[in-house]
Every structure is written in C-alpha cells, then in structure tokens.
Amino acid sequence: TGCDACSAPCAGLEPLRLDKQLKVAMHIILTVPWLSIKYQGSIFLLEEKSGDLVLFSHVGLSDDQIATCTRVKPGFCLCGQAVTQRQIVFASQIDQRHDCIYPGMKPHGHYCVPILSRNRLLGVLNLYVPHGYEKNPEEDAFLTTIANTLAGLIDHRHTEAKLRNEQEFIATVLRTAPSLVVVVDQE
C-alpha cells in the first residue's frame, strides 16, 4: 500500500536515538568551515541523580581520553567548571584548570559550552582548539546558539521519554482495570 501523499510504498522510518542524533550534530559542528576547531569533541549530559557530567557522544577522542573523561564532577576540569559557572569556559592551552590528564595528551585548548534549557543545565558541549588559539567573540555567540539548539533537542527527547512512560503506565492501568472493576446490584 502507498501513503496518502504519493501512493508510493512507504518505509517505516524510526527516529534516530538521542545518542545518534548528538553524534550527527557533533559531526556537523566539527565541520563548520569557519570555526577554528579540531575534528575532536564531545557532548556530556548531566546525570540528575549524581549531578555529574556523563560522556554521551564523542567524535575523534582517543580511548585514553574516553576512559579519563567518562564522568566529570561539577567544578572539575574545564567541562565541570562550565557546569558551575553556567557560561562558556575557554582555554587556549592546557593550564592549571585542566584537571584531566591522560596518556599521550598533546597541547590543545578548549571551548566548554554549557547546554541550558530554561536555565536548567542539561550538559556541556566540549570542543578542542589548537594550542595557543585566541578566543573569538563571534565563535562564542555561534557556539551559544548551537548549545541552545542542542538543549532544544535534548529537552524534546526527555519530554518524549516522559510521555512514553506515562502512556505505558496508563496502558497498563487500562489493561488491568477490567479485572479490578466489580459490578454489584442492590442485592
């Protein structure tokens, strides 16, 4: 059977999972031609229970980077400082704020951009820049816009998950409701 719009056979396409969407977003961000960033970055999401950042999506990171930065406490290293300050944290080089050290680490800098939705922190976008790179105000504005877009995507996915859980709960109640309903007459 075809769809109403064109009567061609339609394939059921499932939406991409959040991790896949964020990986695609990372690739797009890292390939913007006028951004002076390396093809290396990550997105951390805030784990509400612990308050830690958890590495959720990454591109171009080594196994040692992944192992070292899987979980970051608020205030720790540059990404954790972006959590506590709720503003972009920039470093042109490895300095005293760079708490995460891993084997084979080469000189570099960072943009750590908080991902905020309605003043609620959802995570941090972490991008690598060449060692000695000078911060650019236009990049700050662009990266803030990107973080806001990511926040909308993440927030939308969280809302979808909540609605799905509520729908599953209601469906369970309705499935079990007939066995819970008792009909009595006056006698």
Side-chain angles (χ1 to χ4, degrees):
T1 65
C3 70
D4 293 336
C6 65
S7 70
C10 295
L13 295 177
E14 289 188 30
L16 288 175
R17 294 188 335 242
L18 180 60
D19 60 330
K20 299 262 190 220
Q21 282 186 316
L22 292 180
K23 190 152 194 131
V24 168
M26 281 297 303
H27 172 72
I28 292 168
I29 295 163
L30 295 174
T31 57
V32 172
W34 63 269
L35 279 177
S36 299
I37 56 178
K38 296 180 171 194
Y39 190 75
Q40 197 175 19
S42 56
I43 296 173
F44 292 88
L45 294 184
L46 187 70
E47 184 180 71
E48 289 185 34
K49 186 175 182 181
S50 69
D52 293 348
L53 289 174
V54 177
L55 184 61
F56 193 76
S57 183
H58 57 84
V59 173
L61 301 186
S62 70
D63 290 341
D64 290 326
Q65 286 171 292
I66 294 165
T68 302
C69 299
T70 297
R71 182 175 288 272
V72 177
K73 298 261 181 225
F76 186 76
C77 209
L78 299 171
C79 290
Q81 290 175 31
V83 169
T84 56
Q85 295 176 19
R86 292 182 178 244
Q87 61 185 10
I88 294 177
V89 173
F90 176 81
S92 64
Q93 60 191 2
I94 298 169
D95 59 21
Q96 73 283 358
R97 299 173 296 162
H98 203 120
D99 299 315
C100 291
I101 306 295
Y102 51 87
M105 187 164 77
K106 294 182 174 35
H108 64 276
H110 282 280
Y111 270 110
C112 296
V113 186
I115 301 171
L116 300 163
S117 175
R118 294 181 291 266
N119 208 27
R120 186 173 58 100
L121 185 87
L122 301 177
V124 171
L125 171 64
N126 173 37
L127 303 171
Y128 288 73
V129 297
H131 174 80
Y133 181 74
E134 302 258 341
K135 185 176 178 181
N136 178 334
E138 290 173 0
E139 286 179 346
D140 273 17
F142 179 75
L143 293 174
T144 298
T145 301
I146 292 295
N148 291 339
T149 303
L150 291 172
L153 172 68
I154 295 164
D155 207 23
H156 178 74
R157 284 309 192 95
H158 287 303
T159 302
E160 278 182 340
K162 281 182 187 176
L163 288 173
R164 209 171 18 259
N165 289 341
E166 288 174 10
Q167 287 172 343
E168 288 171 9
F169 174 74
I170 290 168
T172 301
V173 168
L174 291 176
R175 273 193 310 273
T176 58
S179 61
L180 299 175
V181 174
V182 178
V183 177
V184 293
D185 62 21
Q186 290 185 2
E187 294 177 0

